[in-house]
Amino acid sequence: ENYSRHVAGGKPGDPPVTLLDYFPPTPDGGPRFTLVVDESHLTVRQLGACYAGDHARKLPLIDNGYRLPSALDNRPLTEGEFWTKVQEVVFVS
């Protein structure tokens, strides 16, 4: 949790590498995959909450010396970062 940014060679604040980064691009520039979001009326709101909850949990640990400040870079994607990695979505409720 403290060192992943350093090991990966990232800069402070860079989005973390996720499974979405491993889908190869298509030759014609089309979507790499179609994301089906089930229970979208709940799931979409959870995207932002994952980041906020992780950030709130780590701040006291950093402030009290239990984690390095770089621990904030090992985190869930923000909602905006997530949607930039997804090209085709089907929302199901």
Side-chain angles (χ1 to χ4, degrees), residues 49-63:
C50 288
Y51 172 81
D54 183 75
H55 192 78
R57 179 183 68 82
K58 288 180 182 172
L59 280 180
L61 296 172
I62 291 167
D63 291 343

Side-chain angles (χ1 to χ4, degrees), residues 2-83:
N2 284 315
Y3 307 109
S4 63
R5 173 175 49 91
H6 304 289
V7 172
K11 297 175 187 156
D14 280 352
V17 176
T18 66
L19 181 62
L20 297 174
D21 296 312
Y22 290 93
F23 285 91
T26 61
D28 63 354
R32 300 178 293 170
F33 56 89
T34 299
L35 175 67
V36 178
V37 181
D38 190 23
E39 299 295 334
S40 61
H41 62 287
L42 299 172
T43 306
V44 171
R45 287 183 279 166
Q46 290 174 347
L47 292 172
C50 288
Y51 172 81
D54 183 75
H55 192 78
R57 179 183 68 82
K58 288 180 182 172
L59 280 180
L61 296 172
I62 291 167
D63 291 343
N64 291 299
Y66 294 105
R67 295 284 186 275
L68 295 175
S70 60
L72 289 175
D73 293 320
N74 182 26
R75 58 175 174 76
L77 295 173
T78 64
E79 188 173 355
E81 291 167 345
F82 177 81
W83 291 118

